[in-house]
Amino acid sequence: MDIGYFNARVRGQRGRLFRAADYEMFLRASSEAEYRERLKATPYARHVDIAEARMTSAADVIASAVGSNAADTFKFLWETAPDNARRLLKTLFSKWEVHNLKALIRGFAKDVKREDIRGAMAPAGEFNQTALNALLGAKDLADAVRLLETWGSPYAAAFRDVPLDRHINTFELELRLDSFVYGWLQSTVKGSSSSAVIIREMLLSGIDAQNIMTLVKTAGKGFSKET
């Protein structure tokens, strides 16, 4: 599949996006139940129906429908993209891939129930639902990292030479993961095409934002400048 055909497939999804009139409709909803019913008149209808078969709370149904719709969209983009586009998409999906790994790190460190960890994850990129199920089935973080190594995931490198026992410093491990992913992504986006230039600019903006967030998170925690 060439990049032109892929772009056409993506543009074809624009009709599923909400317009100003749709948001006005939602704002006029007087309750979560009414909001849920109005969501049924949109491309989210199938996801609402599926969620209603498992949940009773309107708020839970809405959250599940929105999340599963996003997961389906991510899956469509990832599986439809040709190799040359997927390499660039990796930059966009890495945000969610890292988010999933952080949820796993925090959950395992605090002995959170697997289903509760699952609720904080978003299937995207190389971590589709099958991959997330496998990671959640790991007995601990070290076991999950061995899975990453078996799959040939680039993220396995972020955990090398790090003790992964029950007393891990989750904050420092998350910082290490952030630092790794931006360095790795910069090394993979090459060339002077307009797409590559845009992706590099996005990466630089992401690095700036991450540095600012890191400084905010570490303020007052006693970290040295070197750390």
Side-chain angles (χ1 to χ4, degrees):
M1 182 192 301
D2 62 47
I3 192 72
Y5 179 66
F6 173 63
N7 285 337
R9 294 287 304 275
V10 173
R11 285 196 297 271
Q13 297 292 306
R14 288 180 179 175
R16 301 172 61 85
L17 297 176
F18 289 154
R19 295 174 173 78
D22 297 311
Y23 288 112
E24 289 293 334
M25 176 184 70
F26 292 132
L27 287 171
R28 290 195 297 270
S30 59
S31 65
E32 291 176 340
E34 184 179 349
Y35 188 104
R36 177 192 58 194
E37 291 306 309
R38 294 188 176 192
L39 200 60
K40 286 185 177 182
T42 73
Y44 287 79
R46 181 175 67 85
H47 299 93
V48 173
D49 289 339
I50 293 173
E52 285 183 330
R54 299 182 292 106
M55 306 169 177
T56 56
S57 165
D60 289 342
V61 168
I62 293 168
S64 176
V66 171
S68 58
N69 180 276
D72 282 355
T73 301
F74 292 157
K75 181 180 180 181
F76 163 78
L77 291 172
W78 189 251
E79 293 183 352
T80 307
D83 289 343
N84 53 337
R86 186 177 291 181
R87 179 172 52 85
L88 300 176
L89 274 178
K90 184 71 173 178
T91 301
L92 303 178
F93 282 121
S94 65
K95 173 183 177 180
W96 299 102
E97 292 171 338
V98 169
H99 166 85
N100 290 332
L101 290 176
K102 287 182 178 180
L104 204 70
I105 291 170
R106 296 167 189 165
F108 281 174
K110 298 180 180 180
D111 288 327
V112 176
K113 293 180 180 178
R114 295 299 198 265
E115 283 307 306
D116 291 336
I117 300 175
R118 187 193 307 277
M121 292 177 151
E126 70 175 78
F127 298 135
N128 57 24
Q129 194 59 66
T130 300
L132 292 182
N133 288 341
L135 290 172
L136 287 168
K139 64 180 181 180
D140 52 29
L141 185 57
D143 192 31
V145 171
R146 282 191 287 272
L147 276 177
L148 295 177
E149 292 173 341
T150 299
W151 297 340
S153 170
Y155 291 106
F159 297 91
R160 287 178 188 149
D161 304 320
V162 177
L164 299 176
D165 56 25
R166 294 177 59 85
H167 304 292
I168 59 173
N169 185 319
T170 58
F171 182 72
E172 290 186 3
L173 189 53
E174 288 179 22
L175 290 182
R176 180 186 178 100
L177 187 58
D178 288 328
S179 177
F180 164 79
V181 70
Y182 281 114
W184 178 75
L185 287 172
Q186 286 188 93
S187 71
T188 63
V189 181
K190 303 182 183 299
S192 57
S193 68
S194 58
S195 295
V197 170
I198 291 172
I199 292 297
R200 277 197 291 270
E201 290 177 351
M202 291 175 61
L203 278 173
L204 292 175
S205 296
I207 291 170
D208 289 341
Q210 187 59 52
N211 286 339
I212 292 171
M213 290 304 300
T214 298
L215 290 174
V216 171
K217 290 177 182 178
T218 56
K221 292 185 178 294
F223 284 94
S224 66
K225 291 182 179 180
E226 289 72 18
T227 302

